[in-house]
């Protein structure tokens, strides 16, 4: 269905502004916003259903959106004023989609015979989650699991900072306790990045089923992870501080495992 909306006072636009700004609205409606052609393409390839496409016709044409339009997709031409209110980025591509969220459950993960998983516990900053998802995509891990989330995975800044990798990774969200039980059921080794009782990360064999677990820079991992760890690991540091950005630490660990596994996917 094709529409035209010019006013910020339109009820549809008001609801979309709430969708962009509030995690509660995203949870209640089961939808979220995607901005940009690359991200929309990746979301479509990742199996996300687009319910609405909003576009600024002075930048992008209806024909360019044809590959992403289905019989259940509403197409809405919007004014520049409306677009600027909905757009999250400083630069613009002239298109925003409304998509249905996925059920990000552990049961839906499709793991390989030799699983390689990255887990982040209680990561607060959406930008860090986005960076972790980019690392996971680059390393082609089996899955990213978010434990005890502090930030909504469909937060606009997660989508933006992940450059669409929120759609290219298998993702699950659950409690620490249930994730630990899941890993043990699957016989996956748990390697926790923590200062306590740790050994240098590069001395461990990651060629067997592996899950790396990283926590917040401020408080680290909760005791439950330490109690259930196969081995605590540490990245040796030579400077004054004793921690680094969580996404950087995750990248170091993940690519050591990739090195050991022979970069078999490349």
């Amino acid at each position: 269905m094709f529409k035209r909306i010019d006013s910020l006072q339109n009820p549809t636009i008001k609801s979309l502004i709430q969708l962009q700004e509030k995690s509660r609205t995203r949870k209640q409606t089961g939808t979220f916003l995607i901005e940009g052609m690359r991200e929309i393409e990746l979301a479509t390839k990742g199996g996300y259903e687009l319910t609405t496409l909003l576009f600024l016709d002075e930048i992008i044409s209806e024909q360019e959106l044809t590959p992403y339009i289905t019989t259940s997709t509403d197409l809405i031409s919007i004014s520049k004023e409306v677009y600027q209110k909905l757009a999250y980025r400083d630069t613009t591509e002239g298109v925003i989609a409304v998509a249905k969220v996925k059920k990000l459950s552990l049961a839906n993960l499709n793991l390989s015979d030799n699983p390689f998983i990255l887990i982040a516990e209680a990561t607060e900053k959406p930008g860090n989650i986005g960076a972790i998802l980019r690392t996971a995509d680059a390393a082609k891990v089996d899955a990213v699991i978010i434990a005890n989330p502090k930030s909504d995975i469909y937060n606009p800044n997660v989508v933006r900072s992940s450059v669409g990798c929120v759609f290219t990774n298998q993702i699950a969200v659950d409690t620490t306790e249930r994730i630990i039980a899941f890993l043990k059921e699957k016989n996956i080794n748990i390697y926790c990045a923590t200062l306590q009782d740790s050994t240098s990360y590069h001395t461990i064999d990651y060629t067997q089923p592996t899950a790396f677990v990283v926590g917040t820079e401020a408080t680290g991992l909760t005791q439950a992870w330490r109690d259930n760890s196969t081995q605590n690991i540490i990245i040796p540091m030579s400077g004054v501080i004793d921690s680094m950005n969580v996404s950087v630490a995750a990248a170091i660990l993940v690519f050591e495992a990739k090195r050991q596994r022979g970069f078999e996917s490349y």
Side-chain angles (χ1 to χ4, degrees), residues 7-20 86:
S7 173
L8 289 174
Q9 302 309 312
N10 181 280
T12 296
I13 300 306
K14 286 185 175 182
S15 67
L16 293 179
I17 292 170
Q18 291 291 306
L19 196 62
Q20 183 210 66
L86 291 175

Side-chain angles (χ1 to χ4, degrees), residues 180-193:
I180 290 171
F182 172 83
L183 296 173
K184 290 193 169 186
E185 179 187 349
K186 301 289 185 183
N187 295 314
I188 298 172
N189 295 308
I190 301 171
Y191 297 106
C192 296

Side-chain angles (χ1 to χ4, degrees), residues 96-224:
I96 296 171
V98 182
K100 291 184 179 181
V101 304
K102 282 188 175 182
K103 187 175 181 181
L104 303 177
S105 68
L106 293 169
N108 289 342
L109 296 179
N110 182 23
L111 302 179
S112 67
D113 293 336
N114 186 15
F116 179 23
I117 297 171
L118 178 56
I119 299 168
E121 183 185 44
T123 304
E124 295 182 10
K125 297 179 181 177
N128 280 339
I129 296 175
I132 286 170
L133 291 170
R134 291 180 70 174
T135 293
D137 176 86
K140 204 174 181 181
V141 304
D142 281 85
V144 176
I145 303 177
I146 308 297
N148 301 341
K150 299 293 184 183
S151 183
D152 175 7
I153 200 73
Y154 294 114
N155 181 298
N157 198 32
V158 172
V159 178
R160 180 181 67 168
S161 61
S162 76
V163 292
C165 289
V166 68
F167 309 123
T168 64
N169 287 287
Q170 286 198 97
I171 302 173
V173 178
D174 215 318
T175 65
T176 284
E177 290 72 20
R178 282 198 286 263
I179 296 168
I180 290 171
F182 172 83
L183 296 173
K184 290 193 169 186
E185 179 187 349
K186 301 289 185 183
N187 295 314
I188 298 172
N189 295 308
I190 301 171
Y191 297 106
C192 296
T194 186
L195 295 174
Q196 293 81 10
D197 303 317
S198 297
T199 189
S200 292
Y201 77 101
H202 64 277
T203 64
I204 305 297
D205 178 5
Y206 304 121
T207 60
Q208 301 303 310
T210 294
F212 288 121
V213 192
V214 294
T216 65
E217 296 160 47
T219 60
L221 293 171
T222 56
Q223 189 64 43

Side-chain angles (χ1 to χ4, degrees), residues 28-91:
Q28 288 174 343
T29 63
T31 59
F32 66 105
L33 297 185
I34 307 171
E35 181 179 350
M37 285 298 293
R38 181 183 182 185
E39 287 78 0
I40 288 171
E41 180 181 0
L42 291 173
T44 302
K45 287 181 178 178
Y48 282 82
E49 180 183 344
L50 306 183
T51 64
T52 308
L53 283 167
L54 304 104
F55 70 103
L56 187 58
D57 56 16
E58 62 189 68
I59 295 178
I60 191 168
S61 69
E62 180 182 345
Q63 287 70 32
E64 291 176 88
L65 301 176
T66 300
Y68 312 108
I69 300 172
T70 68
T71 55
S72 60
T73 307
D74 288 335
L75 189 62
I76 303 177
S77 172
I78 54 177
S79 65
K80 188 173 183 180
E81 181 185 24
V82 170
Y83 183 81
Q84 288 175 336
K85 183 66 176 178
L86 291 175
Y88 193 76
R89 299 174 176 171
D90 295 328
T91 57

